[in-house]
């Protein structure tokens, strides 16, 4: 299980991450940015990134011993085949919105899919077997998606597009071919070792172990198609086309919903592993894999419209693939560390379910509760944080190529500010209304009210660490944009060790009723440790002296009464402004607390009045959410967090005062 929002992502220079940069002479502002704040791509983002294909500025990174490449554009051959030069990059705000909408749609259907799985297989036994088997390729996907390929290859492809004579065409083909071969080997090996992998990730025996292995045989080929989907998606991201990768998972969920709906109609009579037939197992396993195939194929129309044409190339020697291979080596080590942590968590959670069953506890106190609570917990990160950071990464990579490290820090700080209101509000809603959320998401079919209670308490324990989880994921992208894969690796070693160790403590010290909840609390502690170490390490890295690069013009600041102003004596050298960002999150939390208390009271009264049930949960969630939002918007400005809350209010079509513009003498107009 991913423990701190970190996925094994990597992108490394052939030299150590602290390699010196060549001196960068004065340069004009980035293409499309004049210094006018009105041109900013979004809240806190100082400009529109330069488009891929623009000739590299003097001073860009060069491989040792390789002379600078001549400025070029896409070769005539590819243009003749219909590939147009790259279009100007979309704004970060617009790209983030497109991805957020796609992710939100996919997550919404994902919960429908989860409800179908629960209705078909239940919260224990069969549900645990399918969940473990299907989680194996899903874990690989989440790490790749978030992840290794996203942060390794986007900077590499952007750099190749800026510095190679052919616009990075041949480099891209070689890189995809090499990764495709690795995926085939990885998938084949996983399929052959399915029994060993199942034993590593579970404590099952007898018929339940046999069923889990059978499910795994059908599900493990998803690794290849997840990898293809992620590789092709990074090609699109490097060309500033972000929408398809976030929308095609909708197709996967539609297929899965149809498959489990068919199973419910024709074969929903099995309650134990011994009762599952070979045909039922094949329907669920192959159907789940079919959804991933459709998801990968769904990227092809967008790839063709971008002008991309893939040609397999095996001439890897001397092709400049040393950097991604070294990056992949760190990524592989990170995968190993994360997988070991996931194996520990999976074995502990399945073991908790076995212990609960022996003690006569019939509710789902095992892997099912942990995994499904986690699925709810990561929604804000996927919808908000990953969408914004994915859109930001190409621009940060270009800033790193120019040596503008402070811009990386300021971009990340701006993103954390602009997302703070949404992330903190989601955290408060998870904690205050977890019973209603769990009941709406999973209270269907064979799931009992006791099962929903376990998921709700586990969600509360997870939610405590949500802001740190999202912030740590975002901050780690700063390292990858600069080509440093080594530091995130060691940071992940620390965070996963904390999570696994504390989860083991919970397993041995707590009663079976509380083990899963304690393990979720261990993850929250690991998130707090991870974000603290990541912020400290990134700040040190961004403060390292860099030969003079001309900084972009800074937009006018917001009204001093609208934002927490903890900075003194000028702009921080790293650009992260960590103290102000932390204080902003605390202020937004304080603004939400009265509403959270009201939400708990309202949802309880509604449940008492209606006798519980799905309608009660829906009404309670709606009333409680309204109470939290009213509290947030009423108290944010007095607490100094108005500038961060205003964009959130506008997304909800709620009138909210705008920050006053700064005047030339440093004062603010009212």
């Amino acid at each position: 299980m991913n423990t701190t929002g970190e996925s094994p992502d990597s992108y490394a220079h052939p030299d150590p991450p602290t390699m010196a940069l060549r001196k960068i002479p004065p340069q004009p502002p980035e293409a499309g940015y004049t210094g006018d704040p009105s041109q900013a791509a979004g809240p806190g983002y100082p400009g529109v990134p330069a488009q891929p294909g623009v000739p590299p500025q003097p001073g860009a990174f060069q491989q040792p011993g390789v002379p600078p490449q001549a400025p070029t554009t896409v070769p005539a051959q590819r243009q003749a085949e219909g590939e147009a030069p790259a279009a100007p990059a979309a704004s970060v705000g617009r790209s983030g919105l497109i991805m957020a909408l796609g992710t939100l749609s996919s997550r919404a259907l994902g919960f429908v899919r989860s409800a179908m799985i629960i209705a078909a297989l239940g919260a224990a036994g069969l549900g645990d077997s399918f969940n473990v088997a299907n989680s194996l390729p899903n874990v690989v996907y989440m790490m790749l998606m978030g992840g290794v390929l996203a942060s390794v290859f986007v900077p590499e492809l952007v750099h190749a597009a800026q510095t190679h004579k052919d616009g990075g065409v041949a480099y891209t083909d070689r890189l995809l071919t090499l990764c495709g071969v690795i995926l085939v080997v990885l998938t084949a090996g996983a399929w052959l070792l399915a029994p060993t992998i199942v034993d590593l990730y579970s404590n099952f025996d007898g018929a339940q172990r046999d069923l889990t292995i059978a499910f795994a045989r059908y599900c493990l080929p998803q690794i290849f198609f997840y990898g293809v989907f992620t590789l092709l998606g990074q090609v699109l991201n490097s060309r500033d086309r972000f929408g398809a990768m976030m929308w095609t998972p909708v197709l996967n969920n539609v297929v899965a919903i149809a498959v489990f709906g068919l199973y419910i109609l024709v074969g929903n009579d099995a309650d134990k592993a011994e009762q599952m037939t070979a045909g039922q197992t094949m329907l669920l396993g192959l159907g789940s894999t079919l959804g991933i195939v459709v998801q990968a194929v769904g990227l092809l129309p967008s790839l063709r419209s971008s002008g991309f044409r893939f040609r397999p190339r095996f001439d890897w020697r001397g092709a400049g693939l040393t950097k991604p291979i070294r990056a992949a080596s760190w990524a592989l080590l990170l995968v190993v560390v994360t997988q070991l942590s996931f194996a520990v968590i999976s074995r502990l959670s399945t073991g908790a379910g076995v212990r609960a069953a022996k003690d006569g506890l019939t509710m789902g106190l095992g892997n099912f509760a942990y995994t499904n609570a986690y699925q709810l917990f990561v929604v804000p990160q996927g919808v908000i944080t990953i969408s914004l950071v994915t859109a930001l990464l190409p621009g940060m990579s270009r800033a790193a190529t120019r040596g503008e490290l402070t811009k990386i820090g300021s971009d990340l700080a701006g993103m954390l500010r602009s997302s703070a209101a949404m992330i903190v509000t989601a955290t408060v809603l998870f904690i205050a209304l977890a019973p209603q959320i769990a009941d709406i998401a999973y209270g269907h079919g064979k799931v009992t009210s006791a099962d929903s209670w376990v998921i709700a308490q586990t969600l509360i324990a997870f939610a405590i660490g949500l802001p740190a989880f999202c912030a740590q994921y975002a901050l780690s992208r700063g390292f990858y944009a600069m080509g440093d894969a080594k530091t995130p690796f060691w940071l992940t070693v620390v965070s996963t060790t904390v999570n696994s160790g504390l989860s083991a403590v919970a397993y041995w010290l707590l009663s079976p009723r509380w083990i899963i909840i304690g393990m979720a609390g261990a993850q929250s502690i690991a998130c707090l440790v991870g974000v603290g170490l990541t912020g400290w390490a990134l700040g040190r890295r961004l403060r390292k002296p860099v030969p003079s690069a001309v900084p972009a013009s800074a937009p006018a600041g917001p009204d001093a009464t609208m934002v927490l102003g903890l900075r003194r004596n000028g702009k921080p050298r790293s650009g992260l402004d960590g103290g102000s960002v932390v204080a902003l999150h605390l202020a937004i939390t304080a603004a939400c607390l009265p509403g959270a208390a009201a939400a708990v009271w309202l949802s309880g009264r509604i449940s008492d009045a209606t006798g519980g049930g799905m309608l009660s949960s829906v009404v309670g969630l709606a009333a409680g959410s309204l109470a939290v939002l009213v509290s947030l918007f009423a108290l944010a400005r007095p607490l100094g967090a108005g500038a961060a809350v205003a964009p959130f209010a506008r997304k909800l079509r709620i009138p909210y005062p705008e920050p006053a513009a700064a005047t030339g003498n440093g004062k603010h107009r009212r």
Side-chain angles (χ1 to χ4, degrees):
M1 185 62 62
N2 196 345
T3 59
T4 61
E6 184 50 52
S7 301
D9 329 0
S10 310
Y11 159 64
H13 296 298
D15 295 328
T18 55
M19 63 182 288
L21 308 182
R22 293 171 49 203
K23 184 175 181 180
I24 301 178
Q27 304 170 31
E30 274 189 281
Y33 182 65
T34 63
D36 183 355
S38 66
Q39 293 187 13
Y45 302 105
V48 180
Q51 70 183 69
V54 173
Q57 299 290 345
F61 288 148
Q62 301 292 341
Q63 296 186 31
V66 179
Q69 299 288 343
T72 56
T73 58
V74 177
Q77 177 186 357
R78 284 293 173 95
Q79 292 189 30
E81 296 175 1
E83 179 173 344
S91 71
V92 171
R94 177 177 175 81
S95 299
L97 177 61
I98 292 172
M99 288 186 289
L101 291 175
T103 304
L104 186 60
S105 300
S106 176
R107 293 299 174 97
L109 284 174
F111 288 120
V112 176
R113 174 194 178 192
S114 296
M116 296 289 288
I117 295 175
I118 294 169
L121 301 176
L126 298 180
D128 273 352
S129 289
F130 178 82
N131 193 65
V132 169
N134 198 49
S135 292
L136 300 178
N138 283 341
V139 167
V140 176
Y141 163 69
M142 289 302 296
M143 291 187 297
L144 291 173
M145 168 72 179
V148 175
L149 301 180
S151 295
V152 172
F153 294 137
V154 168
E156 283 289 352
L157 296 175
V158 167
H159 180 66
Q162 290 181 309
T163 58
H164 291 194
K165 291 182 178 181
D166 64 349
V169 171
Y171 184 87
T172 301
D173 289 342
R174 293 185 182 103
L175 194 57
L176 293 182
T177 304
L178 175 61
C179 291
V181 171
I182 294 173
L183 281 171
V184 169
V185 174
L186 176 65
T187 304
W191 190 88
L192 292 172
L193 295 174
T196 303
I197 295 174
V198 168
D199 289 340
L200 177 64
Y201 286 92
S202 71
N203 277 321
F204 299 146
D205 55 17
Q208 190 169 13
R209 175 180 180 272
D210 295 338
L211 177 62
T212 307
I213 293 172
F215 275 137
R217 295 282 194 192
Y218 291 117
C219 292
L220 284 170
Q222 295 174 21
I223 294 174
F224 174 79
F225 296 102
Y226 273 136
V228 170
F229 167 75
T230 309
L231 282 168
L232 298 180
Q234 300 325 305
V235 174
L236 289 171
N237 286 351
S238 70
R239 297 171 176 229
D240 294 302
R241 290 176 176 252
F242 304 101
M245 196 174 187
M246 297 300 175
W247 281 95
T248 50
V250 170
L251 302 176
N252 171 28
N253 284 322
V254 169
V255 172
I257 290 169
V259 167
F260 279 90
L262 178 61
Y263 172 81
I264 291 174
L265 290 176
V266 303
N268 190 27
D269 55 346
D271 293 319
K272 298 181 179 179
E274 296 88 344
Q275 298 172 341
M276 285 288 289
T277 67
Q280 291 171 333
T281 305
M282 183 174 66
L283 171 63
L284 298 182
L286 282 184
S288 298
T289 298
L290 176 62
I292 311 306
V293 176
V294 172
Q295 175 177 291
V297 173
L299 293 179
L300 296 181
S302 184
L303 283 165
R304 292 190 65 84
S305 67
S306 72
F308 175 73
R309 303 292 185 272
F310 172 64
R311 298 187 181 94
R313 298 192 61 156
F314 296 90
D315 52 336
W316 303 331
R317 184 181 297 275
L321 298 178
T322 303
K323 289 169 64 178
I325 292 301
R326 290 196 178 188
S329 66
W330 281 108
L332 179 61
L333 289 173
L334 213 157
V335 168
V336 170
V337 169
T338 309
Q339 283 293 296
L340 289 174
S341 175
F342 175 75
V344 171
I345 298 300
S346 183
R347 286 186 62 86
L348 291 175
S349 61
T350 55
V354 172
R355 287 179 56 183
K358 289 181 179 179
D359 286 359
L361 299 172
T362 57
M363 72 277 280
L365 288 165
N367 181 268
F368 174 87
Y370 188 96
T371 301
N372 284 283
Y374 186 88
Q375 185 181 21
L376 286 167
F377 160 71
V378 297
V379 168
Q381 186 216 28
V383 173
I384 301 166
T385 306
I386 290 180
S387 299
L388 290 173
V389 174
T390 301
L392 201 62
L393 184 58
M396 292 195 300
S397 301
R398 297 179 188 113
T401 300
R402 296 189 302 271
E404 298 175 2
L405 300 189
T406 301
K407 183 179 183 299
I408 296 174
S410 61
D411 280 1
L412 288 171
M415 190 282 297
L416 292 175
R417 288 192 184 94
S418 66
S419 64
M422 294 179 282
I423 295 296
V424 172
T425 301
T427 302
V428 172
L429 291 177
F430 280 160
I431 294 174
L433 300 170
Q436 289 73 28
I437 294 172
D439 190 47
I440 293 171
Y442 301 119
H444 313 283
K446 298 180 180 180
V447 176
T448 65
S449 58
D451 296 328
S452 293
W453 179 87
V454 177
I455 296 174
Q457 302 308 307
T458 307
L459 176 60
I460 292 172
F462 274 132
I464 294 171
L466 179 60
F469 180 80
C470 296
Q472 197 268 350
Y473 177 91
L475 293 174
S476 67
R477 267 63 231 159
F479 289 108
Y480 298 127
M482 293 183 289
D484 181 357
K486 185 183 297 186
T487 303
F489 166 76
W490 290 113
L491 292 171
T492 302
V493 169
V494 174
S495 60
T496 55
T497 300
V498 171
N499 185 37
S500 301
L502 292 180
S503 293
V505 171
Y507 181 84
W508 291 112
L509 295 185
L510 300 179
S511 68
R513 182 183 293 272
W514 297 102
I515 289 174
I516 294 299
I517 299 168
M519 289 174 61
Q523 149 114 354
S524 291
I525 296 174
C527 289
L528 294 171
V529 172
V531 73
L533 291 176
T534 303
W536 171 78
L538 181 60
R540 287 193 61 186
R541 176 66 190 278
L542 295 177
R543 292 187 192 99
K544 287 185 177 294
V546 178
S548 59
V550 179
S553 302
D559 187 338
T561 66
M562 297 284 288
V563 66
L564 287 164
L566 300 186
R567 291 183 292 179
R568 296 291 185 269
N569 302 322
K571 189 176 181 180
R573 289 179 298 164
S574 70
L576 288 175
D577 201 8
S580 178
V581 171
V582 171
L584 176 63
H585 281 73
L586 293 176
I588 295 174
T589 301
C592 290
L593 287 180
V600 173
W601 184 84
L602 283 172
S603 60
R605 301 292 75 75
I606 291 171
S607 179
D608 293 341
T610 60
M614 185 61 63
L615 179 60
S616 173
S617 296
V618 171
V619 176
L621 178 61
S625 299
L626 181 61
V628 171
L629 290 176
V630 169
S631 175
L632 170 67
F633 295 135
L635 299 178
R637 182 173 178 128
L639 291 173
V645 171
F648 183 32
R650 289 195 296 272
K651 292 183 189 309
L652 299 176
R653 301 293 190 269
I654 297 174
Y656 203 79
E658 295 281 350
T663 62
N665 58 9
K667 297 182 179 180
H668 296 82
R669 294 196 303 268
R670 301 288 177 181

